[in-house]
Amino acid sequence: MDLTVLGGAAACPNPAQGCAGYLVMHEGTRVVLDCGPGILPVLRDLTDMRTLDAIIISHLHADHTLDLVPLRYGLKYGPGATDRRLPVFLPPGGLAFLDRIAGALATDGEPAGDFFESVFALTEYDPASTLTVGTLTIRFHPTRHAIPCWAMRIEDGEHSLVYLADTAPTPDVARFAHGADLVICEATLNDPEFSATVGHLTARQAGEMAAAAEARTLLLTHYWVELGRDRLRAEAMDAFGGPVEVATPYATFKLGSDKAGDGSSTA
């Protein structure tokens, strides 16, 4: 199983870096985790967006969802349009959320109800159930965030990666990530005192979460570039003690591989 970073910025894109988005690939299955603003150029450079197996959304904040809008236009009006609808799995409340966006953007007499449904096969997932997409299984766990948000554990039968989405420190989420080959963990904050109130982590807290999870490798994401990538990595390494990388577009992680390709890391 491989993971390639599509974005990795916090609530606003960093220079030359979009927000939340990650491409997971395994034996022909291709799944995108979150679809934040600015990830589509990288995604389109890597693969045919029309043939993705699914997009899965962790929660309904704009920095995790907004590129669903330009993706909708690309699928509907771009060259090579087909009748296939791309499966998009939303958290509870996601259908109503997209309905509100469609109501604001639908024009020229187009029914708002068809705005997204014409190109996406929309489903709200049950966070208490396991989702299967191709060769991958996905389990969910609630995080500690300002709105309902779900971490995801993606497994291929041999290896596992855990995407913690947005969360404040919580032992339940660390237990959910236990033993993962790769933990993708946010490092949004500069001051740990704000963690509980805004539902985010510092880089040091991310390292502590990865250590508690006994993860193999930590990937820091959802960060402000102004905080400094080297500084964030050093703070997380000090708390984790294991390998730490910082999300940048195109960075690829090969789970369980003995060798990593050019520009790649082994997790």
Side-chain angles (χ1 to χ4, degrees), residues 33 46 60-61 77 95 105 134 148 154 168 170 195 202 231 239:
L33 311 179
L46 292 171
L60 301 175
H61 273 155
Y77 299 115
L95 294 176
L105 296 180
I154 298 93
T170 169
S195 289
T202 66
R231 172 193 161 189

Side-chain angles (χ1 to χ4, degrees), residues 94-218:
L95 294 176
F97 171 79
L98 289 187
D99 280 346
R100 293 193 294 273
I101 294 177
L105 296 180
T107 57
D108 300 327
E110 181 179 30
D114 292 339
F115 185 82
F116 289 110
E117 291 279 5
S118 62
V119 297
F120 295 138
L122 301 173
T123 304
E124 290 186 2
Y125 57 76
D126 177 2
S129 299
T130 298
L131 177 65
T132 300
V133 180
T135 59
L136 301 174
T137 59
I138 302 97
R139 292 188 288 120
F140 303 92
H141 193 282
T143 73
R144 188 179 171 195
H145 192 46
I147 66 171
C149 177
W150 282 269
M152 306 178 202
R153 187 178 186 110
I154 298 93
E155 299 177 320
D156 63 9
E158 185 177 1
H159 302 291
S160 62
L161 68 87
V162 177
Y163 170 44
L164 297 186
D166 289 4
T167 188
T170 169
D172 288 347
V173 173
R175 284 192 290 269
F176 177 69
H178 186 264
D181 294 279
L182 177 67
V183 168
I184 309 164
C185 188
E186 65 142 277
T188 308
L189 298 180
N190 191 36
D191 187 342
E193 292 187 9
F194 293 109
S195 289
T197 56
V198 299
H200 289 294
L201 299 168
T202 66
R204 181 172 298 277
Q205 289 171 327
E208 292 168 351
M209 291 275 282
E214 297 183 352
R216 182 174 176 181
T217 300
L218 169 62

Side-chain angles (χ1 to χ4, degrees), residues 240-263:
F240 176 41
V244 177
E245 303 292 341
V246 180
T248 54
Y250 296 100
T252 298
F253 299 83
K254 299 179 178 295
L255 275 62
S257 174
D258 291 333
K259 296 181 179 180
D262 293 342

